[in-house]
Amino acid sequence: MTKSNTMWGGRFAEGPDAIMEAINASIGFDRRMARQDIEGSRAHAAMLAATGIVTASDAEAIREGLLTVLSEIESGTFDYSTALEDIHMNVEARLTELIGAPAGRLHTARSRNDQVALDFRMWVRDQADAAIDALPRLMAALVDQAEAGADWVMPGFTHLQTAQPVTWGHHMLAYVEMFARDLGRMQDARRRMNECPLGTAALAGTSFPIDREMTAKELGFDRPAANSLDAVSDRDFALEFLSAATICAMHLSRLAEELVIWSSAQFRFVRLSDRWSTGSSIMPQKRNPDAAELLRAKIGRILGAQVALLTVMKGLPLTYSKDMQEDKEQVFDAADSLMLALAAMTGMVSDMTAEKENLEAAASSGFSTATDLADWLVRVLDLPFREAHHVTGALVKLAEEAGIDLPELSMEQMHAVEPRITEDVFEVLGVRNSVASRTSYGGTAPDNVRAQAARWKEKLA
Ligand code: ARG
């Protein structure tokens, strides 16, 4: 007969089946919240003393003992037990071994339900902080690229077909805008999650005269959560973190996809540094963008975590159900993936070199200034835009048939389509003039790019 659980086994004659123990235990993964658990318990103990619920000397013994437990965990000497289920009971059991009777007073006016809600919230908050720290570094790397290449011309694409010339800097700053929104979403999520569930106890609150303001403040929260039923069963904080992470991972994936395409032999728009490329074991010429490919894939795990947690939560009646123990592993994995992806992208972007000449050559092919030609016909010859579009289409067809680009068409060829065209038209057919003319707010003109890059630099400083 196995022994009943030392923490809750009072009414049990027998211990759990081995498989029951295996399915029930979370210590294999929730040990990642050890620091948060101990921090929360130390704040709780201090509050129990301040409110006279336990004596100052017992609270002191608990607080000191918890520091010893933490140092054992951090130095790797802590002996985790599956029989003790989770990090909460592992810590408390070790505390009992260390300090004896006073340890039994720590769990006064508290439950594992508010304890795990607190630990997990603090863990996710730390990850949000890490992302809030990492995103501006990625943005700064992109701004540096934008500044360097404010007037490098490249093809802008729609449907991955050459559309209009744009500038390298403008393209880089497009991602800065995306990551800025990701940063804002992380900050919003962090703000909303910053309410403390500790002291809501099992689900209904407690009859002890606790001071929830005190623990909330001590643990860096803005306020205690206002409804105990909600506080013990809310996992929105993790879901919002995952939502922000998923959208950010989608942006990382899009940029990664561009780097994969751009670094190919067919494009040669960028050269990834040796530090961010890998070789092939059989093809000596290869420089593979493995990091970009892995980054492109990371969204699968992160979105997967979000779907998994939403699915766990969606049918749960209030309040805590053990289903909620399934909330952690995928969030841990998603957070790890996001942080690694952000760091890798920052490194890759900082190190990569744009192949200026190739960018400009590509920008000049594919009739990329056809819109400039149509606009010229509107502006100078006063054609309605629809007619200008038609005339330009005919000129593109002519050039295509002749196997040349628009600027190479002769005056005679142009006059065959529209006799009023003058030599001035050639000015708008060059890609540099094209990008320089896009001065509308938010447009790709180098001056705009320089102004936006400067704005971001100041903001990020
Ligand atoms: N390990 C549990 C979890 O992660 C802690 C909470 C247990 N609460 C309970 N009422 N059994 O959810």
Side-chain angles (χ1 to χ4, degrees):
M1 208 161 80
T2 51
K3 279 207 327 259
S4 70
N5 188 291
T6 50
M7 294 286 160
W8 48 251
R11 58 164 297 183
F12 289 80
E14 263 189 274
D17 186 275
I19 302 291
M20 173 61 202
E21 192 171 285
I23 196 173
N24 200 33
S26 54
I27 188 61
F29 49 88
D30 66 13
R31 60 177 71 177
R32 282 193 72 171
M33 308 189 306
R35 196 173 47 73
Q36 289 78 9
D37 190 71
I38 287 172
E39 218 182 296
S41 288
R42 280 175 48 82
H44 186 64
M47 181 279 292
L48 291 177
T51 50
I53 299 168
V54 305
T55 63
S57 68
D58 279 354
E60 205 34 51
I62 291 169
R63 283 169 56 80
E64 279 302 307
L66 285 168
L67 286 183
T68 308
V69 178
L70 181 60
S71 72
E72 289 178 358
I73 288 173
E74 283 178 344
S75 65
T77 59
F78 190 89
D79 202 7
Y80 293 101
S81 150
T82 309
L84 288 165
E85 287 182 27
D86 55 27
I87 187 62
H88 324 296
M89 297 205 296
N90 268 269
V91 168
E92 194 183 321
R94 179 63 185 139
L95 182 68
T96 308
E97 282 173 11
L98 287 169
I99 68 164
R105 300 194 182 275
L106 170 60
H107 214 49
T108 316
R110 186 179 77 169
S111 149
R112 265 192 297 160
N113 295 349
D114 60 335
Q115 192 176 355
V116 73
L118 171 71
D119 295 0
F120 192 30
R121 196 178 282 248
M122 291 205 295
W123 194 91
V124 171
R125 188 176 65 178
D126 285 346
Q127 297 301 310
D129 283 339
I132 288 167
D133 196 52
L135 276 162
R137 271 179 277 143
L138 171 56
M139 291 162 68
L142 288 160
V143 172
D144 285 345
Q145 284 284 352
E147 228 180 6
D151 53 11
W152 302 345
V153 185
M154 68 180 282
F157 298 95
T158 60
H159 315 265
L160 197 57
Q161 307 282 324
T162 299
Q164 295 176 355
V166 297
T167 48
W168 170 261
H170 201 50
H171 202 114
M172 293 296 112
L173 290 179
Y175 283 100
V176 174
E177 297 288 338
M178 293 176 232
F179 293 123
R181 290 194 294 275
D182 292 330
L183 178 60
R185 270 183 284 272
M186 273 297 169
Q187 287 164 332
D188 283 351
R190 197 215 188 272
R191 210 170 296 128
R192 219 167 358 260
M193 76 175 71
N194 209 28
E195 293 189 345
C196 186
L198 183 61
T200 55
L203 75 164
T206 175
S207 57
F208 289 99
I210 60 171
D211 182 350
R212 292 193 56 212
E213 293 284 348
M214 178 180 166
T215 42
K217 188 158 175 247
E218 175 64 27
L219 296 169
F221 289 97
D222 294 330
R223 65 194 79 86
N227 183 297
S228 63
L229 301 176
D230 174 45
V232 292
S233 63
D234 167 40
R235 295 294 181 271
D236 290 4
F237 59 90
L239 287 166
E240 284 198 43
F241 170 76
L242 290 175
S243 306
T246 300
I247 298 175
C248 179
M250 176 272 289
H251 292 145
L252 288 167
S253 183
R254 292 184 76 175
L255 178 51
E257 164 72 353
E258 301 218 88
L259 296 181
V260 170
I261 295 175
W262 290 353
S263 61
S264 69
Q266 287 69 26
F267 269 74
R268 291 187 194 280
F269 281 9
V270 295
R271 187 177 171 84
L272 300 176
S273 70
D274 284 357
R275 304 197 316 155
W276 295 98
S277 307
T278 52
S280 156
S281 53
I282 174 168
M283 297 165 283
Q285 85 283 11
K286 291 293 283 288
R287 283 172 68 81
N288 293 331
D290 287 37
E293 294 164 84
L294 288 161
L295 258 161
R296 188 171 56 183
K298 287 292 182 199
I299 177 158
R301 303 168 71 133
I302 299 174
L303 174 60
Q306 192 186 358
V307 173
L309 183 52
L310 275 170
T311 311
V312 166
M313 296 305 296
K314 77 159 190 65
L316 296 185
L318 299 185
T319 53
Y320 179 86
S321 295
K322 195 64 175 248
D323 310 49
M324 290 165 71
Q325 183 165 286
E326 290 290 322
D327 60 0
K328 293 173 206 66
E329 273 172 290
Q330 312 214 38
V331 177
F332 292 166
D333 182 75
D336 291 344
S337 300
L338 179 70
M339 294 318 299
L340 187 59
L342 284 170
M345 187 57 96
T346 306
M348 234 180 335
V349 167
S350 310
D351 268 19
M352 73 185 180
T353 321
E355 309 260 28
K356 275 175 70 167
E357 289 75 26
N358 298 344
L359 289 174
E360 183 154 348
S364 307
S365 70
F367 314 112
S368 66
T369 51
T371 313
D372 299 82
L373 174 55
D375 286 351
W376 185 90
L377 295 168
V378 170
R379 206 170 49 243
V380 180
L381 302 186
D382 198 28
L383 296 188
F385 183 77
R386 283 290 156 225
E387 198 182 325
H389 186 285
H390 195 78
V391 169
T392 307
L395 287 166
V396 166
K397 186 158 178 271
L398 207 65
E400 198 170 30
E401 279 162 6
I404 55 179
D405 271 313
L406 281 176
E408 290 154 356
L409 283 173
S410 68
M411 229 39 260
E412 291 69 50
Q413 285 170 307
M414 292 207 189
H415 282 162
V417 177
E418 169 52 66
R420 287 173 293 167
I421 294 178
T422 62
E423 289 283 345
D424 294 350
V425 77
F426 289 104
E427 260 171 47
V428 302
L429 296 183
V431 290
R432 285 171 179 277
N433 288 336
S434 169
V435 294
S437 73
R438 296 286 193 287
T439 53
S440 59
Y441 182 75
T444 194
D447 285 346
N448 281 7
V449 172
R450 274 186 278 269
Q452 290 291 332
R455 176 175 74 86
W456 279 116
K457 264 218 140 125
E458 204 180 297
K459 225 171 156 168
L460 290 167

